[in-house]
C-alpha cells in the first residue's frame, strides 16, 4: 500500500476500487505505530478509525452516497474540538478535557466522510513556533529528527510529511501553519480572515487567527478549502464566499500577473540559501509570464512587536477562563482564598503561556495601554493601509516564508525574543487579514525551504492559482525517513 499519495489521488483510487478506505487507514495506523515514537506528531490516535473506514467501504459497495473525502485520514491540531475526544491544546491545563461538541470544520469534514486519524501535537495553546512548548514534549522534523519541525502546528506538518495521514488542519495566528509547512516541506495555507469558521477552535488571538490546511500539494489545499470555507451562523466573523470553487480553474496560470517582492522580508539576516531560493522562485514566476518588482512595506519592521502586543492582550483575556472554576483541572477549594486558588490553578500553564499572560495583563492595563496596546493597533492599521496600497499596483506579493532554516531542538528555547523574530515574514498576513500560502520550494543541507505568496482579501482563488504554477516548477527530494 502506497501511503505517499495526494488527497486527490486517494479519492480517485478509492473511487475506482484500486484501494479500500479500510486498507489505507489501517496501513496509515501501522505507519504511525512504526514512526511516531521517533517523531511525536500525535498527542492521541483515533482507535475507532478502522471501523469508520469499514463503514465507508460498505457505503461505497452498496452504492450509497459517499462524501468527497471517502475515508481519507486527516490529522487535526489539538486545539480544535472533536466531540467526545480529548482536546488538550498540548497543555496540562486541559489534559482531561473532552470536547462536548464538534468544531464547524470538523462537522463539515465529517459530512464529507473524512476520518480524523489523530490529534496533532502543537505548542501549548498555539504559542510558539517550534513545538518545543508542548507540555507533552516536542515533535521532530522528519527531514532530520535533531531539528525542530516549526510550529505551532508542528505535529500537523510532521504527520503530513511522514505519511502518517494525507492532510491536516492547523491554525495560523502569526504563521503557525505556514512556518511548519515551510520547515517540513508541506503546502501551508492561511486563508483570508473569516473564510473558515473558528467555531470550536480554542482561541488564542481571535481577531487575527484562522484555521488552515497543510497538504502535500496545492490542489489538495484547494480541495479542502472547497469543503470547509463559508458563512457559519456560529462565527459571526465568517465571510460569504458564495461557494467559491478553489480547485476548478487552478491551472489558469499567472501570465500577466504583477508580483511585488517585499523588500523588508528579504532583508539582512536572511539565510543565503533562503535568499537564493527566493530569487530563483522569482525568476521562475517571471518565466511563466509574471512581472516582478520590489515593493516596500515600511511598517513590517514594527510588525512583530505589534503582533506580540496584540496577541498577548487577546491571549490574556481568552486564557483568563482557565481558573479551575469555569475551566481547568480540578481540585477542591478548601484551604485557599480566592487569589491563591487561582494562582495554583494557573501553575498548570507552561513557561511560554505564563509569559504571554503576564505580558497580556500588563500591556493593555491603565497607564500602559497608550504606550503599548493602542500603539500596536495603530501599527496594525498603518500596515493594512500600506498593503492595501500595494495591492492597488500588484496582484500578488512574494517573500520567503521564514528567513532562516530550521534549527536544532533546544537551540533557541531559552531565548524567546530571538524566537519571536523568526515570525517577521508571516505575521503581516495575520495583522492585515490577507491570505498567504507557503509552497515547498527547495532543500538546503537536507532541510526544506518554503516560498510565501500573499494576495488581497478574498483573492484566495488567484493566490492558489499562482501557488500551483510555482509548485509545478519544482520537484523536491523525498523525505529521508
Ligand atoms: N509564533 C507565533 C506566536 O507564538 C505564532 C503562533 C501561531 O501562529 N499560532 O504567537
Amino acid at each position: 500500500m502506497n501511503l505517499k499519495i495526494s488527497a486527490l489521488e486517494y479519492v480517485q483510487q478509492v473511487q475506482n476500487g484500486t484501494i479500500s478506505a479500510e486498507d489505507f487507514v489501517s496501513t496509515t495506523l501501522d505507519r504511525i505505530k512504526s514512526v511516531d515514537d521517533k517523531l511525536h506528531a500525535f498527542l492521541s490516535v483515533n482507535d475507532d478509525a478502522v471501523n469508520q473506514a469499514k463503514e465507508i467501504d460498505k457505503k461505497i459497495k452498496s452504492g450509497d452516497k459517499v462524501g468527497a473525502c471517502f475515508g481519507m485520514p486527516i490529522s487535526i491540531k489539538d486545539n480544535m474540538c472533536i466531540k467526545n475526544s480529548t482536546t488538550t491544546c498540548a497543555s496540562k491545563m486541559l489534559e482531561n478535557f473532552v470536547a462536548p461538541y464538534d468544531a464547524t470544520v470538523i462537522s463539515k469534514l465529517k459530512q464529507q466522510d473524512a476520518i480524523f486519524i489523530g490529534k496533532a501535537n502543537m505548542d501549548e495553546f498555539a504559542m510558539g513556533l517550534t513545538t518545543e512548548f508542548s507540555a507533552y514534549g516536542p515533535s521532530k522534523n522528519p527531514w532530520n529528527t535533531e531539528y525542530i519541525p516549526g510550529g505551532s502546528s508542528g505535529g500537523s506538518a510532521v504527520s503530513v510529511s511522514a505519511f502518517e495521514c494525507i492532510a491536516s488542519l492547523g491554525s495560523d495566528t502569526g504563521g503557525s501553519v505556514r512556518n511548519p509547512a515551510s520547515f517540513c516541506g508541506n503546502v501551508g495555507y492561511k486563508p483570508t480572515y473569516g473564510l473558515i469558521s473558528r467555531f470550536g477552535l480554542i482561541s488564542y488571538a481571535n481577531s487575527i487567527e484562522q484555521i488552515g490546511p497543510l497538504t502535500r500539494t496545492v490542489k489538495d489545499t484547494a480541495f479542502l478549502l472547497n469543503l470547509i470555507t463559508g458563512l457559519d451562523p456560529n462565527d459571526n466573523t465568517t465571510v460569504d464566499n458564495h461557494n467559491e470553487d478553489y480547485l476548478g480553474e487552478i491551472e489558469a496560470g499567472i501570465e500577466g500577473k504583477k508580483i511585488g517582492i517585499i523588500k523588508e522580508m528579504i532583508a539582512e539576516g536572511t539565510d543565503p540559501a533562503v535568499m537564493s531560493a527566493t530569487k530563483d522562485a522569482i525568476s521562475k514566476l517571471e518565466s511563466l509570464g509574471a512581472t516582478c518588482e520590489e515593493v516596500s512595506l515600511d511598517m513590517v519592521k514594527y510588525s512583530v512587536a505589534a503582533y506580540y502586543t496584540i496577541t498577548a492582550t487577546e491571549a490574556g483575556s481568552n486564557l483568563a477562563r482557565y481558573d479551575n472554576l469555569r475551566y481547568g483541572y480540578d481540585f477542591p477549594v478548601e484551604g485557599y482564598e480566592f487569589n491563591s486558588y487561582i494562582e495554583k490553578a494557573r501553575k498548570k500553564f507552561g513557561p511560554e503561556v505564563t509569559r504571554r499572560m503576564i505580558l497580556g495583563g500588563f500591556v493593555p492595563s491603565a497607564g500602559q495601554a497608550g504606550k503599548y496596546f493602542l500603539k500596536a493597533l495603530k501599527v496594525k492599521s498603518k500596515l493594512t493601509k500600506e498593503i492595501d496600497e500595494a495591492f492597488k499596483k500588484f496582484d500578488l506579493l512574494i517573500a520567503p516564508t521564514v528567513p532562516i532554516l530550521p534549527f536544532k531542538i533546544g537551540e533557541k528555547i531559552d531565548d524567546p525574543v530571538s524566537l519571536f523574530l523568526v515570525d517577521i515574514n508571516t505575521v503581516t498576513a495575520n495583522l492585515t487579514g490577507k491570505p498567504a500560502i507557503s509552497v515547498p520550494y527547495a532543500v538546503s543541507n537536507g532541510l526544506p525551504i518554503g516560498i510565501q505568496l500573499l494576495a488581497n482579501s478574498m483573492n484566495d482563488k488567484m493566490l492558489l492559482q499562482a501557488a500551483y504554477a510555482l509548485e509545478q516548477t519544482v520537484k523536491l527530494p523525498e523525505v529521508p525517513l
Side-chain angles (χ1 to χ4, degrees):
M1 172 70 60
N2 178 15
L3 295 178
K4 303 180 179 181
I5 54 175
S6 69
L8 291 182
E9 284 164 346
Y10 171 87
V11 168
Q12 206 180 23
Q13 292 182 22
V14 176
Q15 263 179 317
N16 67 23
T18 325
I19 57 173
S20 71
E22 184 189 344
D23 283 350
F24 196 88
V25 166
S26 62
T27 315
T28 301
L29 288 171
D30 291 344
R31 171 82 180 162
I32 294 174
K33 269 202 198 98
S34 78
V35 298
D36 213 55
D37 276 354
K38 255 196 310 224
L39 300 174
H40 198 215
F42 287 99
L43 292 175
S44 54
V45 175
N46 174 4
D47 49 24
D48 193 41
V50 174
N51 286 333
Q52 293 169 9
K54 279 185 187 158
E55 286 305 310
I56 288 158
D57 286 334
K58 252 192 233 159
K59 280 210 269 184
I60 298 171
K61 273 215 183 88
S62 56
D64 290 353
K65 199 173 175 306
V66 187
C69 290
F70 289 90
M72 171 187 307
I74 295 180
S75 72
I76 303 291
K77 185 176 184 178
D78 206 16
N79 59 354
M80 286 171 237
C81 292
I82 302 182
K83 192 174 175 176
N84 298 332
S85 304
T86 50
T87 298
T88 68
C89 272
S91 180
K92 293 283 181 196
M93 184 64 91
L94 291 177
E95 197 167 7
N96 301 312
F97 174 64
V98 176
Y101 68 97
D102 280 329
T104 297
V105 286
I106 296 300
S107 43
K108 282 186 184 243
L109 287 176
K110 267 188 187 168
Q111 277 163 23
Q112 297 298 339
D113 284 323
I115 291 180
F116 307 116
I117 198 79
K119 299 301 287 291
N121 197 13
M122 55 186 278
D123 288 293
E124 185 176 4
F125 283 98
M127 297 174 192
L129 52 101
T130 65
T131 323
E132 291 167 293
F133 292 126
S134 165
Y136 304 100
S139 299
K140 316 270 172 74
N141 194 318
W143 291 79
N144 184 334
T145 52
E146 283 179 26
Y147 285 75
I148 55 134
S152 63
S153 315
S156 288
V158 173
S159 62
V160 175
S161 285
F163 309 106
E164 297 174 280
C165 60
I166 289 230
S168 187
L169 290 185
S171 65
D172 191 311
T173 312
S176 275
V177 164
R178 287 161 288 154
N179 162 312
S182 172
F183 281 176
C184 290
N186 309 143
V187 174
Y189 199 70
K190 201 292 278 182
T192 295
Y193 184 75
L195 203 63
I196 297 179
S197 167
R198 287 177 296 106
F199 179 71
L201 166 72
I202 295 180
S203 290
Y204 159 21
N206 8 353
S207 77
I208 58 173
E209 69 202 354
Q210 278 290 285
I211 290 170
L214 294 100
T215 58
R216 292 201 225 298
T217 68
V218 176
K219 278 191 176 177
D220 283 2
T221 286
F223 166 78
L224 283 175
L225 288 180
N226 280 356
L227 307 180
I228 61 175
T229 49
L231 271 182
D232 178 8
N234 285 325
D235 175 358
N236 60 16
T237 63
T238 49
V239 288
D240 192 356
N241 65 343
H242 306 285
N243 291 324
E244 182 79 273
D245 175 9
Y246 298 98
L247 187 58
E249 293 148 48
I250 201 160
E251 296 184 18
I254 51 159
E255 178 92 57
K257 294 278 182 273
K258 292 199 183 95
I259 304 179
I261 307 158
I262 307 173
K263 185 174 142 210
E264 290 74 9
M265 294 192 188
I266 39 175
E268 218 180 292
T270 304
D271 185 279
V274 175
M275 189 73 104
S276 81
T278 310
K279 287 190 177 145
D280 193 65
I282 291 165
S283 65
K284 291 264 182 54
L285 291 167
E286 280 172 337
S287 70
L288 293 171
T291 50
C292 301
E293 192 187 308
E294 201 168 81
V295 61
S296 173
L297 299 178
D298 202 38
M299 282 291 127
V300 163
K301 58 176 180 282
Y302 305 117
S303 62
V304 172
Y307 168 83
Y308 278 98
T309 306
I310 292 168
T311 52
T313 303
E314 292 189 29
S317 148
N318 278 321
L319 271 57
R321 74 189 65 158
Y322 303 104
D323 54 11
N324 201 37
L325 298 169
R326 288 165 290 182
Y327 281 94
Y329 75 113
D330 204 31
F331 60 94
V333 291
E334 282 76 31
Y336 297 95
E337 41 78 37
F338 185 75
N339 281 339
S340 62
Y341 186 76
I342 306 282
E343 193 182 329
K344 176 166 175 183
R346 299 258 159 91
K347 290 256 155 57
K348 284 273 173 179
F349 284 136
E352 187 59 23
V353 174
T354 304
R355 251 192 306 271
R356 308 281 182 108
M357 291 213 45
I358 293 169
L359 193 65
F362 177 72
V363 290
S365 62
Q368 307 301 331
K371 263 195 276 176
Y372 301 110
F373 185 55
L374 298 177
K375 218 178 214 174
L377 290 180
K378 279 185 196 158
V379 170
K380 181 177 189 266
S381 71
K382 277 189 118 174
L383 179 65
T384 308
K385 263 199 196 133
E386 268 182 14
I387 203 165
D388 282 339
E389 237 1 87
F391 281 126
K392 284 185 188 155
K393 187 165 172 204
F394 298 103
D395 301 296
L396 298 153
L397 300 174
I398 189 169
T401 308
V402 190
I404 59 170
L405 292 168
F407 40 90
K408 284 201 168 150
I409 293 172
E411 199 177 312
K412 290 184 197 272
I413 194 153
D414 295 325
D415 187 3
V417 175
S418 89
L419 267 183
F420 287 0
L421 293 173
V422 180
D423 295 321
I424 178 81
N425 290 2
T426 45
V427 297
T428 291
N430 304 81
L431 289 171
T432 62
K434 308 300 179 198
I437 188 167
S438 179
V439 180
Y441 191 76
V443 172
S444 171
N445 281 334
L447 295 163
I449 296 172
I451 297 294
Q452 180 178 219
L453 292 167
L454 297 89
N456 208 351
S457 302
M458 301 310 279
N459 278 350
D460 297 73
K461 186 170 175 165
M462 188 225 289
L463 179 59
L464 287 156
Q465 290 169 347
Y468 176 79
L470 182 63
E471 180 189 46
Q472 300 320 297
T473 67
V474 281
K475 174 121 187 69
L476 294 195
E478 282 228 347
V479 188
L481 187 79

